Amino acid sequence: MEVLDILNLGEIAQYFSKMAMFPVFDLAYYIVSILYLKYEPGAVEVSRRSPVASWLCAMLYCFGSYILADIMLGVCPIDYFHNNSHILLASAVWYLIFFCPLNLFYKCVAFLPVKLVLVAMKEVVRTRKIAAGVHHAHHAYHHGWLIMVITGYVKGSGVALMSNFEQLLRGVWKPETNEVLNMSFPTKASLYGAILFTLQEAHLLPVSKSTLICLFTLFMATTKAFMTARHSHGSPFALIESWVCHLLFGSPLGIEDAHDHHHSAPAASAPLSPAKTKEELSEVTRKRKPKKAE
């Protein structure tokens, strides 16, 4: 405790937990979210053919978690859209990423060192959203632990959970990409984070909320930035999840989920290369197509 007092970690965590997200961190969140939208196959073509549909998809990427959480809590799902400054900022980012001359803005934000900083900043916002979702649900349902977990989980990963609906706006239907069936690292981390913040709200976790926000943000930002730098789509929870699933559900140890195994099997005889994320693979595929839309 003396070391903590000397370093003033409590005061640092308190300051960090109260730091405003708008406009800097929210801007990073919108940039990374819409950047991932552009990585989706056919997203550029849709933006040229139907800018309105593309804009709606971008708004879902930016505000889908708020919409889904409001629906769950019985609040008007378009309530968040009264924040004109957020809508204008997200719309400006969408326009620059998709329609900036010579793709200059896209090339700048997709440059790896810049992208790593933006990805880390996005995780700061994600953690705040999880904590805010749990707190909101705790205020409405004081003893509803499950409601608190689900609300925090949705706030942190609502965009991924609405991916199938967003795909429909682009004329795509891929039910096998359901995020609940194939959970990515951010989705899993949002669930675990929601559990931690729920335990903290219930006073079952002996740590202050500001400290938990600071520690969880540090974990999310460093892990996601490291995974982005390594072009990894794995999960740091894989080993623990494998043992827990084996213990509770009898799942075989050391076996990846069917989705990853299916995609890795054809490449068994090929030379080893760094794993790429889904977004980067989609970007490579898009670049190989004739650039009619460009």
Side-chain angles (χ1 to χ4, degrees), residues 71-235:
I71 292 175
M72 291 177 54
L73 294 176
V75 182
C76 179
I78 61 173
D79 183 64
Y80 192 81
F81 285 87
H82 79 276
N83 296 310
N84 297 325
S85 54
H86 288 265
I87 301 301
L88 290 174
L89 183 60
S91 299
V93 170
W94 163 77
Y95 184 85
L96 289 173
I97 287 181
F98 279 94
F99 301 103
C100 181
L102 303 178
N103 264 342
L104 290 178
F105 186 79
Y106 166 77
K107 292 174 181 177
C108 289
V109 297
F111 181 53
L112 186 58
V114 177
K115 185 178 178 181
L116 292 179
V117 175
L118 295 174
V119 165
M121 294 174 69
K122 178 181 179 179
E123 297 309 312
V124 176
V125 180
R126 188 194 304 275
T127 302
R128 291 291 191 87
K129 289 167 68 176
I130 296 172
V134 171
H135 179 75
H136 187 186
H138 175 72
H139 180 74
Y141 304 93
H142 192 69
H143 300 289
W145 291 2
L146 181 59
I147 298 176
M148 285 187 268
V149 170
I150 294 175
T151 306
Y153 170 56
V154 167
K155 274 290 186 75
S157 59
V159 178
L161 296 176
M162 296 181 69
S163 61
N164 291 112
F165 178 73
E166 180 273 329
Q167 288 170 359
L168 287 177
L169 292 177
R170 292 188 284 112
V172 179
W173 175 241
K174 294 181 179 179
E176 69 276 5
T177 62
N178 190 317
E179 188 69 18
V180 177
L181 296 176
N182 300 293
M183 295 175 69
S184 60
F185 163 71
T187 305
K188 292 180 180 179
S190 296
L191 175 60
Y192 301 147
I195 293 174
L196 290 176
F197 281 104
T198 297
L199 293 176
Q200 194 281 326
E201 285 284 356
H203 304 291
L204 297 177
L205 197 63
V207 63
S208 66
K209 179 183 288 188
S210 59
T211 301
L212 182 59
I213 289 176
C214 188
L215 293 177
F216 193 75
T217 300
L218 183 63
F219 165 74
M220 289 294 294
T222 54
T223 303
K224 195 66 172 72
F226 178 78
M227 292 174 64
T228 302
R230 293 288 303 272
H231 306 292
S232 172
H233 59 277
S235 171

Side-chain angles (χ1 to χ4, degrees), residues 39-84:
Y39 287 159
E40 289 295 322
V44 174
E45 290 76 6
V46 170
S47 68
R48 302 297 191 272
R49 187 173 65 251
S50 178
V52 174
S54 178
W55 179 82
L56 286 174
C57 291
M59 295 304 102
L60 282 180
Y61 263 72
C62 295
F63 309 115
S65 58
Y66 297 102
I67 295 173
L68 192 55
D70 286 345
I71 292 175
M72 291 177 54
L73 294 176
V75 182
C76 179
I78 61 173
D79 183 64
Y80 192 81
F81 285 87
H82 79 276
N83 296 310
N84 297 325

